[in-house]
Amino acid sequence: MKSFNARFYGNPRVYLGLIWLAAVVIVAVFAGVFAPRDPFAIVGQPFLPPGSEGFLLGTDSLGRNVMAGLIHGARTTLMIAVLSTVAAVAFGTVLGALAGYYGGIVDDILMRLTEFFQTIPWFLFAIVLVAILSPSAMNLVIAIAVVSWPPIARVVRAEVMAVKAREFVQAAVVAGQRDMGILFGQILPNTLSPLIVTGSLMVATAILIESALSFLGLGAPGQMSWGFMIGAGRSFLRDAWWLVTVPGVVILLTVLAINLIGEGLNDALNPRLADL
Amino acid sequence: MKNASIGSYILRRLLQTVPVILGVVIVNFLLLQLAPGDLATVIAGEAGGATPEYIAELRARFGQDQPLYVQLLNYMGNLLTFDLGYSFRQSAPVLDLLLDRLGPTLLLMGATLVVSLSLGIVLGLLAALWVKTWKDHLISVTAVLLYATPLFWVGLMLVLIFAVKLDWFPTSGMEDVVAFHEGWDRVWDIAHHMVLPTVTLSVFYLALYARLMRASMLEQRGLDYVTTAKAKGLTDAQITRRHVFRNALLPVVTMAGVQTGSLLGGSVVVEAVFAWPGLGQLAYQSLFARDYNLLLGIFFLSAILVVVVNLLVDILYVILDPRIRLG
């Protein structure tokens, strides 16, 4: 059987995904270097089409540089997506682990809670949360995390239940390790691979949620984001197609890249399922 | 299957929805507590300022000077009798506003369900039949692309191409209100307006169902009963049509039920793009008006809608698949 590296990096789709994602991450981290000026600054004539001198992707209705907006937007969008995923993974892991490890009534209560969050219209719930907590980067992270954790809890619970029955866990019990030590030291490290797959795909979903919320006007105020750019450009769809088209393509490619990497990870970590 | 057992099953499933609805009520109440400014200050603000005594009097009238648990009980009582409060922005009871907008949303969701399920099932079936050929890859790549596309952007691109450039469809709204169409003309007009929103909302689910259907077909095809059917002398086409296809449908139907909540969320975005006069657009408007009572009312009604749809899907499922035991 081929190694993880061969299966993961040998996959051309993963390669394409990694290249695009790496580019976006570099641009996001060094946004200030690539676009030193404030993305909200008015730097030229309004509605310059893409390819105009000095403005590769044109300018918007106020004469702001679309390229600079995309560069700074990458930072906002990625940061919110990654932070909310980290929060969702942390919360979902703890809940799922407790449910899977203790079983019985604890499991019942926690799983009913998980089902509850999966039943309610989650996007509407995110909208309500951001609207009531007032839009800010922090509250976007909270809202996205609150609606994203249930799949993590389910995955971790199932894995913990499977691993719990294995002999090395029983050995740890016999050796007198405490519950938390067994759970976090013995069991959870063995549930990592599905967690990594689910978590990486979740970043893509988080980007889509963040973009949709920003599009609806619930984005972090004062921070450029891709969804905000589309929302601001939609009134000028008739005359300035690029204001909506370009940020949308960037969101699509980024989400696609993460999905490809996530699926590549899945194929590489679970080789038996790769054919399906 | 005995009718009595279906009856008790439905009853039991109905009871299971109670905690969910109670949960939504409690979440709503907590959010309302978190919302900046209570009802009294909102009304006072509408009136253009008021004395502290007047605000205190308003609070007393709305029961906001009571302990929190009494307020929660009052709130529960109100919601359970479908008194969702009053929208001071729209000057109408929240329930009336919601019922006005429910129809268009249900229409959009119903059309989306039909389009995405039927096309998704057909595409997934074809991909499975053509597995590992270029046609299968084409369907899979398209599904992966649709999967990664933001819904609102699909809508705007469709508007740009089919409404602005080609002028085939209207850009927004549900009907041409100034034309005063009646009868079939009106139906045709609404159908014409519905094409772009329905396609927009469908693409994501279409991709989801197509991928699921393909995987489900491939999984079923490897099971023992297929070998048995082959040994019995059935042709591949017969096996696919009579056995594999039917069994492969079940996970797709389940998924369609599970996705109701997400479909409602998607319709908020689509309705905001197309100015479709449904619950989603109402939610979008209430965001800007900071009309939290209305927003939470929409959330409550949507949650109930999801619970009802899930209930129907479960009941349908038991009727469709006799293997599911009711015990």
Side-chain angles (χ1 to χ4, degrees):
Chain A
M1 185 168 280
K2 285 189 280 185
S3 71
F4 169 83
N5 279 341
R7 284 195 306 269
F8 185 63
Y9 295 106
N11 184 340
R13 282 177 297 178
V14 168
Y15 232 81
L16 288 175
L18 281 175
I19 290 172
W20 176 260
L21 189 63
V24 173
V25 169
I26 290 170
V27 162
V29 172
F30 299 105
V33 177
F34 288 102
R37 299 198 55 176
D38 179 2
F40 286 97
I42 293 167
V43 290
Q45 294 281 319
F47 296 124
L48 288 177
S52 304
E53 203 182 327
F55 301 105
L56 187 61
L57 295 174
T59 57
D60 74 359
S61 59
L62 296 174
R64 298 180 290 209
N65 188 349
V66 172
M67 190 58 159
L70 287 180
I71 291 170
H72 285 270
R75 181 174 237 180
T76 312
T77 303
L78 279 194
M79 194 181 68
I80 290 176
V82 169
L83 286 180
S84 58
T85 303
V86 169
V89 167
F91 187 69
T93 303
V94 169
L95 239 65
L98 293 178
Y101 189 73
Y102 287 108
I105 182 111
V106 177
D107 184 32
D108 263 356
I109 293 172
L110 293 181
M111 280 302 111
R112 287 298 91 75
L113 189 71
T114 312
E115 275 166 20
F116 173 75
F117 275 90
Q118 286 190 305
T119 309
I120 57 174
W122 56 268
F123 184 68
L124 208 51
F125 189 47
I127 290 179
V128 172
L129 274 178
V130 178
I132 285 182
L133 297 175
S134 85
S136 73
M138 180 68 180
N139 289 337
L140 277 170
V141 169
I142 293 175
I144 298 173
V146 164
V147 299
S148 306
W149 63 267
I152 297 278
R154 284 182 173 274
V155 166
V156 171
R157 170 179 175 267
E159 287 295 309
V160 167
M161 286 185 5
V163 174
K164 195 174 72 169
R166 301 257 296 270
E167 277 147 1
F168 67 88
V169 176
Q170 288 166 0
V173 174
V174 174
Q177 269 201 355
R178 281 181 304 173
D179 277 1
M180 289 300 124
I182 297 172
L183 191 51
F184 289 96
Q186 310 285 350
I187 298 181
L188 280 181
N190 283 289
T191 67
L192 268 184
S193 59
L195 199 58
I196 289 170
V197 172
T198 318
S200 64
L201 292 173
M202 197 168 273
V203 178
T205 318
I207 290 179
L208 287 175
I209 303 176
E210 191 274 337
S211 302
L213 290 172
S214 303
F215 170 74
L216 291 176
L218 292 173
Q223 290 184 39
M224 194 51 89
S225 87
W226 296 338
F228 168 81
M229 293 174 77
I230 297 178
R234 64 176 283 208
S235 320
F236 313 104
L237 195 57
R238 203 171 281 275
D239 307 305
W241 56 269
W242 63 92
L243 294 182
V244 165
T245 312
V246 175
V249 171
V250 173
I251 297 175
L252 197 168
L253 288 177
T254 309
V255 172
L256 183 65
I258 297 171
N259 280 343
L260 292 179
I261 296 168
E263 279 173 22
L265 278 173
N266 190 33
D267 292 351
L269 292 168
N270 308 305
R272 275 173 305 138
L273 296 174
D275 286 340
L276 264 181
Chain B
M1 193 183 301
K2 285 181 213 142
N3 282 330
S5 65
I6 287 197
S8 68
Y9 173 76
I10 293 176
L11 192 69
R12 204 166 52 239
R13 268 300 272 108
L14 264 177
L15 285 178
Q16 281 171 4
T17 64
V18 172
V20 177
I21 292 175
L22 271 183
V24 172
V25 172
I26 292 172
V27 166
N28 256 6
F29 178 74
L30 293 177
L31 286 171
L32 212 51
Q33 300 299 315
L34 280 175
D38 58 12
L39 200 54
T41 48
V42 170
I43 296 176
E46 295 284 307
T51 59
E53 291 80 28
Y54 179 58
I55 292 182
E57 192 199 310
L58 279 175
R59 288 219 169 98
R61 200 188 320 157
F62 296 127
Q64 280 169 341
D65 53 347
Q66 312 247 3
L68 214 54
Y69 72 92
V70 176
Q71 287 190 43
L72 174 62
L73 286 180
N74 282 338
Y75 186 72
M76 279 182 174
N78 287 344
L79 285 196
L80 295 182
T81 51
F82 283 98
D83 174 5
L84 299 179
Y86 193 82
S87 164
F88 289 90
R89 302 279 167 178
Q90 311 251 5
S91 305
V94 169
L95 185 64
D96 291 1
L97 290 169
L98 295 186
L99 291 182
D100 251 12
R101 302 296 194 103
L102 184 60
T105 295
L106 287 180
L107 185 65
L108 181 62
M109 281 176 64
T112 301
L113 198 65
V114 171
V115 170
S116 59
L117 258 183
S118 51
L119 278 180
I121 287 171
V122 169
L123 285 177
L125 176 70
L126 291 176
L129 291 179
W130 295 329
V131 69
K132 307 245 161 173
T133 66
W134 66 269
K135 290 182 204 155
D136 172 33
H137 289 310
L138 183 69
I139 292 175
S140 298
V141 167
T142 313
V144 168
L145 274 177
L146 292 180
Y147 215 65
T149 317
L151 211 59
F152 57 92
W153 187 72
V154 176
L156 292 170
M157 287 298 106
L158 290 176
V159 168
L160 181 63
I161 297 168
F162 294 103
V164 173
K165 300 282 181 211
L166 296 173
D167 203 17
W168 288 357
F169 298 102
T171 52
S172 64
M174 189 170 86
E175 57 184 318
D176 198 351
V177 275
V178 288
F180 297 109
H181 289 301
E182 277 179 30
W184 284 108
D185 283 346
R186 184 163 178 234
V187 173
W188 173 248
D189 186 37
I190 292 178
H192 191 216
H193 279 78
M194 227 166 80
V195 173
L196 292 187
T198 307
V199 172
T200 305
L201 192 50
S202 296
V203 285
F204 174 84
Y205 300 99
L206 196 159
L208 181 71
Y209 300 146
R211 294 182 79 181
L212 191 63
M213 185 68 190
R214 176 180 180 274
S216 174
M217 286 285 294
L218 293 181
E219 189 193 340
Q220 290 289 333
R221 217 159 56 176
L223 295 182
D224 287 345
Y225 73 84
V226 175
T227 318
T228 312
K230 263 193 196 134
K232 206 168 81 171
L234 292 185
T235 63
D236 276 351
Q238 281 173 320
I239 295 174
T240 302
R241 200 172 57 238
R242 287 195 201 154
H243 299 279
V244 177
F245 175 70
R246 290 183 186 187
N247 282 309
L249 271 183
L250 287 174
V252 182
V253 173
T254 311
M255 183 54 99
V258 170
Q259 292 296 330
T260 326
S262 129
L263 194 60
L264 264 164
S267 78
V268 177
V269 175
V270 172
E271 289 179 17
V273 169
F274 289 95
W276 186 261
L279 287 175
Q281 202 203 20
L282 193 63
Y284 185 54
Q285 291 164 345
S286 67
L287 282 181
F288 289 102
R290 302 192 176 281
D291 193 341
Y292 301 119
N293 227 3
L294 182 55
L295 189 58
L296 289 170
I298 296 170
F299 178 59
F300 179 67
L301 182 68
S302 307
I304 298 221
L305 209 59
V306 171
V307 168
V308 169
V309 170
N310 280 337
L311 190 69
L312 291 179
V313 169
D314 277 4
I315 293 170
L316 186 75
Y317 212 76
V318 172
I319 295 170
L320 281 182
D321 188 354
R323 285 173 309 179
I324 294 175
R325 289 206 282 144
L326 296 171

